[in-house]
Amino acid sequence: KQEVTQIPAALSVPEGENLVLNCSFTDSAIYNLQWFRQDPGKGLTSLLLIQSSQREQTSGRLNASLDKSSGRSTLYIAASQPGDSATYLCAVIPVDDYKLSFGAGTTVTVRA
Amino acid sequence: GAVVSQHPSRVICKSGTSVKIECRSLDFQATTMFWYRQFPKQSLMLMATSNEGSKATYEQGVEKDKFLINHASLTLSTLTVTSAHPEDSSFYICSATSSGTTDTQYFGPGTRLTVL
């Protein structure tokens, strides 16, 4: 059974600092990996999707890397802003299934 | 594009009553919809997968008679929590895909259920 772990569970940084969020998964046979943002009491917003054949994806200040063989993905957020405060979730879809397996998330607070 | 809505956004009900939550894909046809449950500070747990016109597939440990799912059209799926109890209080989120179960899932804004 796929298990997804996110470390740290919470992170607080001053505005302007770069953020590094980690995600690890136990089964490297994945179809793709996604990073989501969740604001308190809200649904999920997809940030980046990395196919298993890709090593990274970039969107604006966000960059996500994928090392499938080691079961790891990292989300980098450059020059953090208070508006980046949210919980960030990673999720994987295995090659032999269609179900997303989610990590518990990293709650980020960016201090002004 | 690819917007998913949920209604209601929050609901409070008395123990023993039933609550229906709607999930709609607004600008695409959703061949598959997923229902998740999320407890505070925990990850989303998949409850069931529904395909239009067929019975939902429930995850292990999810009571199908308690959580009734109907996917009657390509734009609407409903989750009915029957005889709700306080332990059913949670955040319920749906998602939808347009062209296959491994396609990108688009998530609704969630429904906060509180059972008194």
Side-chain angles (χ1 to χ4, degrees):
Chain A
K1 181 191 171 192
Q2 178 74 268
E3 294 198 4
V4 182
T5 304
Q6 290 187 247
I7 294 173
L11 187 60
S12 178
V13 300
E15 183 176 5
E17 197 164 296
N18 297 331
L19 288 163
V20 180
L21 309 179
N22 298 300
C23 172
S24 62
F25 45 95
T26 53
D27 187 346
S28 62
I30 64 170
Y31 183 74
N32 63 41
L33 181 146
Q34 280 186 266
W35 282 94
F36 295 89
R37 169 182 172 140
Q38 185 177 30
D39 292 291
K42 303 292 184 183
L44 276 64
T45 301
S46 180
L47 297 175
L48 291 167
L49 183 150
I50 311 177
Q51 299 291 352
S52 63
S53 58
Q54 299 175 317
R55 296 191 68 84
E56 68 175 347
Q57 279 285 349
T58 298
S59 176
R61 295 185 293 112
L62 277 63
N63 174 275
S65 65
L66 174 63
D67 183 343
K68 201 173 62 168
S69 61
S70 67
R72 294 181 183 178
S73 177
T74 302
L75 177 66
Y76 301 91
I77 303 177
S80 62
Q81 304 168 359
D84 294 329
S85 298
T87 296
Y88 293 84
L89 300 164
C90 76
V92 298
I93 289 183
V95 294
D96 59 351
D97 204 348
Y98 54 84
K99 303 169 189 173
L100 277 168
S101 294
F102 281 88
T106 294
T107 299
V108 171
T109 302
V110 181
R111 309 186 302 271
Chain B
V3 177
V4 176
S5 70
Q6 278 185 245
H7 179 79
S9 58
R10 58 178 61 212
V11 57
I12 300 173
C13 69
K14 293 182 179 180
S15 185
T17 60
S18 294
V19 174
K20 180 184 285 188
I21 302 170
E22 292 185 348
C23 177
R24 292 181 185 273
S25 57
L26 299 185
D27 50 5
F28 66 99
Q29 293 187 325
T31 53
T32 305
M33 287 185 168
F34 303 86
W35 286 95
Y36 296 85
R37 183 173 181 176
Q38 186 181 33
F39 291 104
K41 298 190 185 301
Q42 294 188 25
S43 62
L44 277 72
M45 299 300 297
L46 180 65
M47 299 174 65
T49 304
S50 73
N51 293 295
E52 185 265 337
S54 61
K55 290 185 178 180
T57 302
Y58 290 81
E59 294 301 299
Q60 192 173 9
V62 177
E63 299 175 59
K64 61 181 66 176
D65 293 332
K66 180 166 188 61
F67 299 99
L68 301 178
I69 292 172
N70 183 278
H71 192 161
S73 76
L74 284 171
T75 60
L76 174 65
S77 176
T78 60
L79 167 68
T80 302
V81 183
T82 62
S83 188
H85 289 95
E87 58 265 31
D88 298 325
S89 299
S90 188
F91 194 57
Y92 293 87
I93 303 178
C94 71
S95 69
T97 63
S98 61
S99 58
T101 50
T102 55
D103 202 3
T104 301
Q105 292 183 28
Y106 300 98
F107 285 81
T111 297
R112 170 73 59 193
L113 171 63
T114 303
V115 185
L116 302 176

